[in-house]
Amino acid sequence: MMQRVDGRAPDQLRPVSFDLNIAPYASGSVLVSMGRTRVICGVMIEEIVPRWMKEQSVSGGWLTAEYSMLPYATETRKARDISRGKLDGRSTEIQRLIGRSLRAVIDLEKLGPRTMWVDCDVLQADGGTRTAAITGASVAVAIACRRLLEEKKVAFSPIRKLVAAVSAGILDGTALVDLNYEEDKAVTVDFNLVATEEGELVEIQGSGEEATFAQTQLEEMLALGRGAIAQLIGAQRNVLTQLSAPPPVVS
């Protein structure tokens, strides 16, 4: 079996932790750590909906996400997007992915005429920032939905199930899961998987890095990703049981 730089097996996740309610003014907040990658995920709720929903007479609410890397998240300072006057293409792609992933598990009708803002800020980057953001944001959204229910702003919790994400790739012909930065730079295939706690797929992103890959390798990465996401969902549910009310029940 291939030995990785940090000693992990190919199918082994980095250490995962969730530090809950770190932002007092947020409806739900989490500092998620996956190895040395750390992302702050916060949820704020506004009692309004986007103008396009009103114009098109769309009922229910909306969830949207924003993603950024703090300037000191990497060894070389990353300039803030505001200094360039626009969001870079990578950040735009990632925040859209986060939004799609969370809307897949939220009942927007039950949310009601309000907007749920999910902000994901990378505190430290060592590979897998987008997948860590999704995994942490799922917990923050679950906390925010629980708060809506406790405050009797909704009759039923809008969250249907938990969602998580993980990276994978092919390095020296071997499929690996949860890549750190050094591995992410070196892989010939880059792969990201988003799935729910029921194993339903939300999104698959995969591409060769100046290389091709076989269907058998795709299936291997998919299997590794599914197994890792099951572990991540388990960690999410464990941390949510620390709160007074139980985590969402899958019906």
Side-chain angles (χ1 to χ4, degrees):
M1 182 176 289
M2 176 183 177
Q3 194 74 8
R4 301 165 75 169
V5 174
D6 54 12
R8 285 183 292 148
D11 61 351
Q12 187 177 356
L13 286 168
R14 292 174 289 181
V16 179
S17 65
F18 301 95
D19 187 2
L20 304 183
N21 298 324
I22 63 163
Y25 299 127
S27 296
S29 61
V30 174
L31 171 61
V32 57
S33 300
M34 295 186 69
R36 294 195 301 169
T37 289
R38 305 169 74 207
V39 185
I40 302 169
C41 305
V43 177
M44 297 288 280
I45 298 173
E46 292 184 324
E47 299 295 318
I48 56 173
V49 294
R51 188 173 66 179
W52 64 265
M53 291 185 69
K54 295 179 181 178
E55 292 173 348
Q56 298 176 33
S57 299
V58 177
S59 61
W62 188 244
L63 181 150
T64 190
E66 294 190 1
Y67 166 97
S68 68
M69 290 183 64
L70 295 172
Y72 44 81
T74 56
E75 291 184 5
T76 303
R77 185 182 187 275
K78 182 184 184 299
R80 294 184 188 273
D81 290 318
I82 194 170
S83 67
R84 293 190 296 268
K86 65 177 182 178
L87 201 63
D88 67 36
R90 177 181 178 276
S91 296
T92 300
E93 176 214 344
I94 292 175
Q95 67 186 31
R96 287 175 178 170
L97 170 64
I98 297 167
R100 288 194 302 270
S101 301
L102 295 169
R103 286 193 296 271
V105 295
I106 289 289
D107 188 324
L108 296 175
E109 286 294 335
K110 289 180 180 176
L111 180 60
R114 48 181 60 90
T115 298
M116 185 174 282
W117 289 89
V118 182
D119 288 288
C120 299
D121 295 292
V122 180
L123 184 64
Q124 184 174 358
D126 184 32
T129 60
R130 74 185 66 195
T131 54
I134 292 167
T135 302
S138 176
V139 175
V141 167
I143 295 170
C145 288
R146 181 174 300 171
R147 186 168 176 177
L148 282 174
L149 195 59
E150 290 171 349
E151 294 176 351
K152 295 182 169 52
K153 292 182 178 179
V154 294
F156 302 96
S157 177
I159 189 167
R160 293 189 290 244
K161 59 197 75 171
L162 295 169
V163 66
V166 76
S167 63
I170 304 293
L171 181 60
D172 296 331
T174 300
L176 308 175
V177 75
D178 191 18
L179 309 176
N180 61 31
Y181 178 66
E182 290 302 319
E183 292 171 335
D184 192 41
K185 284 196 306 181
V187 292
T188 53
V189 180
D190 192 20
F191 183 86
N192 292 296
L193 178 67
V194 187
T196 73
E197 60 185 296
E198 293 180 324
E200 302 159 313
L201 302 178
V202 178
E203 188 147 346
I204 297 174
Q205 299 179 335
S207 60
E209 302 288 345
E210 300 181 8
T212 60
F213 56 101
Q215 182 172 334
T216 53
Q217 291 176 310
L218 173 61
E219 291 168 351
E220 191 174 0
M221 288 186 293
L222 188 57
L224 287 177
R226 280 180 174 277
I229 285 175
Q231 294 178 55
L232 292 171
I233 297 283
Q236 289 173 331
R237 296 190 74 83
N238 285 340
V239 76
L240 285 169
T241 59
Q242 297 175 16
L243 302 178
S244 56
V249 176
V250 179
S251 57

